[in-house]
């Protein structure tokens, strides 16, 4: 067993590749409602995070209490194991365009050109053609002022409606990243490609920026120092991303840059090394443009299928009743009376909040029962699928 070890706080773990949007939301919801402003995870969420880590590590240990818990991972596995879960077929067969993505990856790696030594999932998705320029560059905009400026500067053909555009971009770029990551892992497990997670350090010399991997021990030490600096300045990873001009964040950045300067680097980021193992005889060649069109149509059809479920839930699924008993337990005060707790579907809530229909384009589409079709068509526009290239979805 490898002697490699990784240690992280609960917050670092939630914001690592082992976290998810649901886990991060749960953590920061807890933080927002905490008297001490400390995030935390419930029992089920903690178990889920540990299971995610056990895919890559032989041993995962949890120590400490509450928000101060520390997760220690010991012995990185040579080959990641497949996580078993309770989803139907353990998540298998959930990517309808998996074969297309596999072939695009093989074509990309087998072309006669120099590939960068390392890359990221999002950059690779763009290189493969899974994300159009519009989707790729928009997915980098996370703050509201960035999003508004970016949307205003788009070509008119991509301005599919402000609300729907920013409703589609984050979820579909994230879906593509997650699906590509899953396909790459399967290809690696099958011995078709070589895949390894690394940490890149950016340095500058007379030739410009250099992006090169650093060893795991140095990467661990850097991340540990970053965590200590965040604790010193009482800032979170979310603060660094969404509140860059806050005084505490600026003070943290100053200390962090001083630390990076001592190492002669600019910054670090997560990346991966990917290469081809299979021989030419084992690879079937395809036309790239045709594959990309097939992918984008299949991706849009899958998105429409999932949007149909959202549309159906809008009319038929009862929303989870939102009372405030947990806050009352933590902070005191008075519990909501029974009649003040909304019980019904999202459609009934929208009708009750009748002013919402005046400004919420997504709610308008759901009420009109056009949400899946609008979602799919506008996704195709963002992904640069021409009208003549569109395929009908047999859902």
């Amino acid at each position: 067993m490898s002697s490699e070890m990784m240690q992280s706080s609960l917050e670092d773990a939630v914001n690592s590749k082992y976290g998810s949007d649901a886990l991060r939301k749960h953590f920061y919801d807890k933080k927002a409602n905490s008297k001490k402003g400390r995030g935390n995870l419930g029992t089920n969420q903690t178990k889920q995070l540990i299971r995610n880590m056990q895919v890559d590590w032989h041993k995962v240990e949890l120590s400490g209490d509450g928000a101060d818990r520390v997760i220690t991972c010991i012995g990185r596995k040579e080959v990641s194991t497949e996580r078993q879960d309770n989803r139907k077929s353990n998540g298998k067969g959930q990517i309808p365009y998996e074969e297309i993505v596999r072939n695009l990856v093989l074509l990309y790696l087998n072309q006669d050109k120099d590939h960068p030594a390392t890359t990221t999932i999002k950059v690779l998705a763009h290189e493969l053609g899974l994300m159009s320029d519009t989707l790729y560059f928009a997915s980098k905009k996370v703050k509201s002022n960035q999003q508004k400026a970016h949307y205003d500067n788009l070509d008119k053909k991509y301005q599919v409606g402000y609300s729907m555009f920013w409703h589609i971009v984050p979820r579909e770029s994230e879906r593509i990243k997650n699906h590509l990551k899953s396909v790459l892992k399967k290809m690696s497990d099958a011995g078709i490609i070589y895949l390894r997670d690394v940490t890149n350090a950016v340095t500058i010399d007379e030739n410009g920026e250099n992006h090169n991997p650093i060893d795991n021990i140095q990467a661990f030490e850097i991340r540990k120092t970053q965590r200590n600096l965040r604790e010193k300045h009482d800032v979170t990873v979310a603060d660094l991303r969404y509140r860059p001009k806050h005084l505490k964040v600026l003070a943290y950045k100053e200390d962090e840059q001083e630390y990076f300067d001592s190492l002669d680097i600019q910054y670090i980021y997560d990346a991966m090394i990917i290469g081809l193992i299979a021989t030419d005889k084992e690879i079937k060649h395809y036309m790239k443009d045709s594959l990309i069109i097939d992918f984008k149509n299949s991706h849009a059809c899958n998105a429409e299928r999932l949007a149909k479920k959202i549309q159906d839930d809008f009319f038929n699924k009862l929303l989870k009743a939102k009372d405030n008993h947990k806050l009352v337990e933590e902070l005191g005060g008075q519990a909501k009376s029974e009649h003040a707790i909304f019980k019904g579907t999202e459609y009934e809530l929208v009708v009750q909040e009748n002013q919402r229909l005046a400004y919420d384009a997504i709610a308008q589409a759901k009420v009109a029962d056009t949400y899946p079709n609008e979602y799919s068509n506008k996704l195709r526009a963002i992904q640069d699928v021409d009208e003549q290239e569109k395929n009908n979805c047999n859902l």
Side-chain angles (χ1 to χ4, degrees):
M1 185 174 76
S2 165
S3 60
E4 186 180 343
M5 184 182 78
M6 180 183 78
Q7 195 172 59
S8 59
S9 67
L10 203 56
E11 182 167 11
D12 284 346
V14 164
N15 285 292
S16 73
K17 70 174 185 176
Y18 301 111
S20 65
D21 287 342
L23 287 176
R24 282 185 279 274
K25 182 178 185 305
H26 186 89
F27 182 90
Y28 287 110
D29 283 349
K30 288 268 191 182
K31 181 172 183 176
N33 295 325
S34 167
K35 289 180 181 178
K36 297 181 179 179
R38 306 292 300 280
N40 206 344
L41 293 179
T43 302
N44 290 337
Q45 289 76 22
T46 303
K47 288 180 180 178
Q48 180 183 337
L49 182 62
I50 289 175
R51 285 197 298 268
N52 292 347
M53 291 178 150
Q54 287 171 337
V55 168
D56 291 331
W57 299 87
H58 286 285
K59 193 173 183 181
V60 180
E61 297 177 342
L62 193 64
S63 58
D65 297 311
D68 295 320
R69 287 178 290 175
V70 173
I71 300 178
T72 303
C73 300
I74 303 169
R76 186 185 288 275
K77 297 177 181 178
E78 289 291 327
V79 178
S80 298
T81 54
E82 186 171 355
R83 176 183 162 185
Q84 297 296 315
D85 58 32
N86 295 321
R87 291 178 296 165
K88 185 178 179 181
S89 302
N90 189 33
K92 294 178 180 177
Q94 301 300 307
I95 307 176
Y97 37 78
E98 180 174 337
E99 191 63 29
I100 298 173
V101 175
R102 285 168 61 96
N103 291 327
L104 279 171
V105 170
L106 290 174
L107 182 63
Y108 173 81
L109 293 176
N110 200 44
Q111 285 175 335
D112 293 327
K113 67 175 186 178
D114 292 329
H115 301 291
T118 61
T119 188
T120 66
I121 285 287
K122 183 180 283 189
V123 168
L124 181 60
H126 184 224
E127 287 280 320
L128 292 174
L130 307 184
M131 289 190 197
S132 66
D133 287 349
T134 305
L135 181 60
Y136 174 71
F137 290 111
S139 69
K140 295 183 173 186
K141 311 302 178 184
V142 296
K143 293 187 292 184
S144 58
N145 61 334
Q146 291 177 329
Q147 291 181 343
K148 185 180 186 309
H150 185 81
Y151 186 83
D152 290 344
N153 287 322
L154 283 173
D155 189 290
K156 293 294 182 184
K157 68 179 181 178
Y158 301 121
Q159 293 183 344
V160 297
Y162 190 87
S163 297
M164 190 63 85
F165 184 88
W166 292 113
H167 178 62
I168 290 172
V169 165
R171 64 174 56 206
E172 293 308 325
S173 59
E174 193 66 21
R175 198 196 314 272
I176 289 172
K177 280 171 52 184
N178 289 339
H179 284 174
L180 175 56
K181 189 184 299 184
S182 177
V183 172
L184 291 175
K185 182 182 179 302
K186 289 181 181 178
M187 294 177 74
S188 176
D189 291 345
I192 300 170
I193 62 170
Y194 173 81
L195 184 70
R196 183 183 176 188
D197 293 325
V198 295
T199 299
N200 267 5
V202 180
T203 58
I204 295 180
D205 59 23
E206 63 275 7
N207 297 317
E209 283 191 357
N210 301 300
H211 297 244
N212 294 308
I214 56 178
D215 66 68
N216 292 330
I217 295 175
Q218 185 182 12
F220 171 73
E221 290 299 325
I222 290 174
R223 296 194 186 281
K224 185 169 70 173
T225 300
Q226 287 178 307
R227 184 180 73 242
N228 292 338
L229 288 175
R230 288 199 303 274
E231 289 177 349
K232 171 186 172 182
H233 293 285
D234 191 26
V235 298
T236 66
V237 173
D239 291 332
L240 299 179
R241 189 175 191 188
Y242 297 107
R243 305 172 70 192
K245 295 183 180 180
H246 193 281
L247 290 178
K248 291 195 297 185
V249 173
L250 293 173
Y252 164 84
K253 282 291 186 183
E254 186 176 344
D255 277 1
E256 182 190 54
Q257 193 57 57
E258 184 178 336
Y259 171 62
F260 281 153
D261 288 344
S262 72
L263 301 175
D264 291 327
I265 65 174
Q266 297 298 304
Y267 60 91
I268 63 171
Y269 64 92
D270 291 329
M272 63 182 181
I273 297 173
I274 180 172
L276 193 60
I277 294 177
T279 65
D280 288 348
K281 290 183 179 180
E282 297 170 315
I283 298 171
K284 184 176 181 180
H285 292 274
Y286 292 85
M287 290 299 293
K288 180 179 179 182
D289 289 344
S290 175
L291 279 173
I292 291 173
I293 292 168
D294 287 346
F295 165 78
K296 289 182 177 179
N297 274 309
S298 182
H299 172 238
C301 287
N302 185 54
E304 184 176 349
R305 177 180 64 82
L306 297 171
K308 282 181 178 290
K309 173 69 166 56
I310 294 173
Q311 177 73 77
D312 185 62
D313 287 348
F314 176 76
F315 285 113
N316 301 305
K317 185 177 180 180
L318 293 177
L319 293 172
K320 185 177 179 181
K322 294 183 178 179
D323 59 31
N324 65 339
H325 72 275
K326 290 185 179 179
L327 283 177
V328 171
E329 290 174 6
E330 292 180 11
L331 306 175
Q334 190 172 1
K336 278 186 179 180
S337 57
E338 191 67 20
H339 73 273
I341 301 172
F342 177 81
K343 297 176 182 177
T345 64
E346 187 183 355
Y347 170 72
E348 291 167 333
L349 180 61
V350 169
V351 171
Q352 181 174 300
E353 300 171 344
N354 52 12
Q355 290 183 344
R356 181 174 162 190
L357 282 175
Y359 64 85
D360 190 336
I362 296 166
Q364 292 167 6
K366 288 179 179 178
V367 169
D369 204 7
T370 60
Y371 173 77
N373 190 51
E374 283 191 43
Y375 191 102
S376 176
N377 285 338
K378 291 179 178 181
L379 172 60
R380 283 187 167 95
I382 293 169
Q383 284 278 61
D384 280 321
V385 179
D386 292 336
E387 284 292 329
Q388 60 267 30
E389 293 173 344
K390 288 183 180 179
N391 288 343
N392 291 325
C393 302
N394 298 316
L395 303 173

